[in-house]
Amino acid sequence: MAKTTTAPLLTVTDLTLRFGGLVAVDHINLTAEKGEITAVIGPNGAGKTTLFNCLTGFYKPTSGESRIHRDGRDFILESLPPTRLISDAGICRTFQNIRLFQKMTVLENLIIAQHPGLMRASVWSIAGLLGTKKFRAAEAAAVAQARQWMERFDLLAYADLAAGNLPYGVQRRVEIARALCTHPVLLCLDEPAAGLNATESARLNELLLQIRRELGIGILLIEHDMSVVMQISDRIFVLDHGKVIASGTPAEIRKNPAVIAAYLGVEEEEEPAVLKQLSKKSPTQKATTPKTPTKNPSTKKVKKDGKK
Amino acid sequence: MKNSTQTAAKKLSLPHSLRLAVLATLVAVVLGIPMVALGTTDQNGSLILVQRWPWLLWLAIVIFVGRLFTAELAAHGVVDSLKTWLSSRHPNRPKFRDRNPAILWLRGKLPEPTVTLLLLAFLLPMMPFTDRYSIDLATTVLIYVMLGWGLNIVVGLAGLLDLGYVAFYAVGAYSYAIISQTLGLGFWETLPIAGLLAALFGILLGFPVLRLRGDYLAIVTLGFGEIIRIILLNWQSLTNGSRGIGGIARPEFFGLSMSQTAGGDSSTFVDWVNGNLTMIGQWFGGSEAGLEAYRLSYAPVHRITFLYFVILGLLFFTDFLVRRLRNLPIGRAWEALREDEIACRALGINPTMVKLSAFALGAGLGGLAGCFFAARQGFISPESFTFMESATVLAIVVLGGMGSQIGVVVAALFLVLVPELGRAFADYRMVGFGAAMVLIMVFRPEGFVGERKPSLILGLVGKAKSKAKTKGVQ
């Protein structure tokens, strides 16, 4: 990927979010590039979705900042009102549990994603009520755009059906198409492969690669399904207990002992020992291993479930 | 497999049904002791207690047999099949009316269903069987349709449960009463003012409840409705308290009074018609005596018919406005808000503006209805704006099918006409009314008109079907 700008698309600096005594996101630093798929992985409760909620304006972080570099301008996400996050900074997300407007049709879902622009065109609904030429043109353009996405995502057949009645895999595609209708520069997908079968998941991989190839936008991805993450990600950040414990290409991450430790679940006391052992075995690691494993003891005690 | 479970169900159903029947009978007896078995009657000026134990026995028998019967029906799948037959829970299944060529043809020729109904309503006063009573009743129905359409924006489209809608109705009514009496403005000048004032109150209520949803919102709106009523009761100097405001000016017909005598320098409608009749007659060279047969003489039914046409005109306007708005970005945003507020925020929609616009518009329409109500009654007092009114309007919206324009019309007809027609049955009409409501909610939980019409159609339905089919195969 030839990059035109030197600054990364998304830069997260020292982002922290506390809920009372719990540090859900702990001084996270990460970057995402234009035209790349950046994955965020980690065990359950690692703070991945919380990080997303901070980026997309649902939570206000306690400290730190994240900025989007778009067309030579910087947007600090924390200082933007939620509506401008989408229109100006160009960051749009999907949800872990699909959040479509269920009773509305697929077409309507995609049109609502273009609401702010259409609302401006309808001039407080007055131009809309009068049905002015300008408004009708704007509406036709919105439909054309929705149609284009439906064609790309193979959704035309479902255009006029209620979104809530569609198969799960189709609903996922609708949600991604809906997010793309807002013209994002950074698309944040929260576990897009959750609940999909192997075929659907393979199809999603293809789709994400296609988006990256054709639109050249950045994709930030939270995912548990390693078959998705390892195949399509350009860069992976591993989160555990709200901290980035490793980052690198899929090949690097696969070998990283800290990641293995986090996923297999090791008791706090044993962790340094295991790490030492592991690092002896694989000297190629370039991980940013945790400096001190002294974390919030209340969340650390329980042995985590082994993950694939 | 299916057969065996069904026969098993049949074998096992009787004891279960008996249990249900006994339970129902027990409840009926407990309730029946104070309500049926014991009663009071007036004898020589003093109340005496009468005991009607045989009645209770009959009630118990009827309940027992009835519950046993329905339980058995349910156990044998009759109720379920009836429910699937009646309900429209499968939105993608083609309906009878979507398949029947005659209905399809007719639908192509007719305007929107609501417009068709309103046009039919236009003919009502000209029917031979209509009298003063039926026009008056129809006016009441139309007021409720107007309120229903207003509340439908808030509850049906935007999904904000509002239990205090009557407050806006009251604001509209009192606006007209007070403005017409203090400033001397007429009905038509005050109508938009009343609407705007009510919309302002809608926004006033909207601000504090922006963060609330569901039950919490319902409670606050309920409180708001009561606050307005209590203010109306206690602000003696402005509202005249519980004595209400009387002698409210009637609407005029382009400056012509619809009453028997006109005040000031304006003339009455009847005089105007007769004057013109004389003029036209003279043009055509008719004699005074020949024209005498066509002369109008004053009758109260004129005014009632005129009021009927006024509310009908308001309804044409409201229907056009709401249907149009629903297909605009703002209408889609209301519905999106109802479906998922978080997704709305994630797409850059400002929920504050969407909610406030729904509240303001719904309240404004309520205000217009209130203004008309005051003009029609000529007298208003806080009595007319109790919680019961809010509940009735909400029932109309829910019963009609959330978000459906035509559903509101059907439900308003039902909710106003059924108790009215049941007057002959005196005390039992509310029981029958309650039973009818329960039955409707059991068999049609999504209301009379359950399905939703998309605001935009890509027009690919034909192609889509075949494509979907090939998708299914692969």
Side-chain angles (χ1 to χ4, degrees), chain A residues 133-179:
Chain A
K133 224 178 202 169
K134 214 172 145 196
F135 171 71
R136 274 181 295 163
E139 198 173 58
V143 173
Q145 212 219 356
R147 190 191 178 117
Q148 177 215 328
W149 284 117
M150 287 191 286
E151 265 164 17
R152 264 197 209 188
F153 279 46
D154 228 349
L155 292 169
L156 266 186
Y158 309 104
D160 294 327
L161 299 182
N165 297 334
L166 298 176
Y168 204 72
V170 179
Q171 292 196 25
R172 282 272 178 217
R173 295 212 299 276
V174 175
E175 205 188 16
I176 296 173
R178 187 178 71 180

Side-chain angles (χ1 to χ4, degrees), chain A residues 35-93:
Chain A
E36 279 191 4
I37 296 178
T38 311
V40 178
I41 63 170
N44 285 333
K48 305 180 299 278
T49 300
T50 313
L51 170 70
F52 257 41
N53 284 339
C54 287
L55 292 180
T56 50
F58 282 88
Y59 292 154
K60 271 262 175 279
T62 317
S63 65
E65 67 164 33
S66 28
R67 59 176 71 214
I68 288 265
H69 183 79
R70 181 187 192 180
D71 307 326
R73 281 179 67 194
D74 273 358
F75 296 95
I76 295 169
L77 298 182
E78 284 75 31
S79 62
L80 284 179
T83 48
R84 286 185 59 206
L85 272 179
I86 290 106
S87 57
D88 294 5
I91 182 165
C92 193
R93 70 172 294 184

Side-chain angles (χ1 to χ4, degrees), chain B residues 258-393:
Chain B
M258 295 302 294
S259 317
Q260 192 158 15
T261 50
D265 51 354
S266 63
S267 64
T268 69
F269 176 69
V270 172
D271 288 345
W272 178 78
V273 169
N274 289 339
N276 280 338
L277 204 67
T278 316
M279 204 166 71
I280 294 166
Q282 279 163 355
W283 278 350
F284 290 101
S287 68
E288 280 285 316
L291 282 170
E292 216 36 59
Y294 296 100
R295 255 179 218 292
L296 279 178
S297 57
Y298 171 77
V301 75
H302 291 165
R303 195 191 70 223
I304 286 164
T305 313
F306 170 65
L307 284 172
Y308 177 78
F309 283 131
V310 169
I311 184 80
L312 203 59
L314 284 176
L315 280 183
F316 269 110
F317 163 75
T318 311
D319 178 52
F320 171 81
L321 184 78
V322 177
R323 251 186 317 112
R324 198 71 195 251
L325 281 175
R326 188 184 168 271
N327 294 342
L328 287 179
I330 183 78
R332 274 193 293 273
W334 288 335
E335 288 198 88
L337 188 78
R338 175 193 68 201
E339 295 294 309
D340 199 323
E341 186 172 342
I342 290 176
C344 276
R345 281 169 61 195
L347 292 172
I349 298 172
N350 185 354
T352 308
M353 289 312 290
V354 178
K355 278 185 193 176
L356 285 183
S357 63
F359 268 123
L361 209 75
L365 291 176
L368 294 184
C371 180
F372 174 79
F373 175 76
R376 176 208 185 197
Q377 298 295 98
F379 167 78
I380 50 168
S381 75
E383 289 272 288
S384 312
F385 308 104
T386 54
F387 171 67
M388 193 57 208
E389 294 297 305
S390 293
T392 309
V393 180

Side-chain angles (χ1 to χ4, degrees), chain A residues 99 102-103 108 125 157 160, chain B residues 330 339-340 452 455 458 464:
Chain A
R99 282 186 177 277
Q102 299 207 348
K103 280 189 195 154
E108 286 178 301
S125 296
D160 294 327
Chain B
I330 183 78
E339 295 294 309
D340 199 323
R452 175 182 174 277
S455 64
L458 197 58

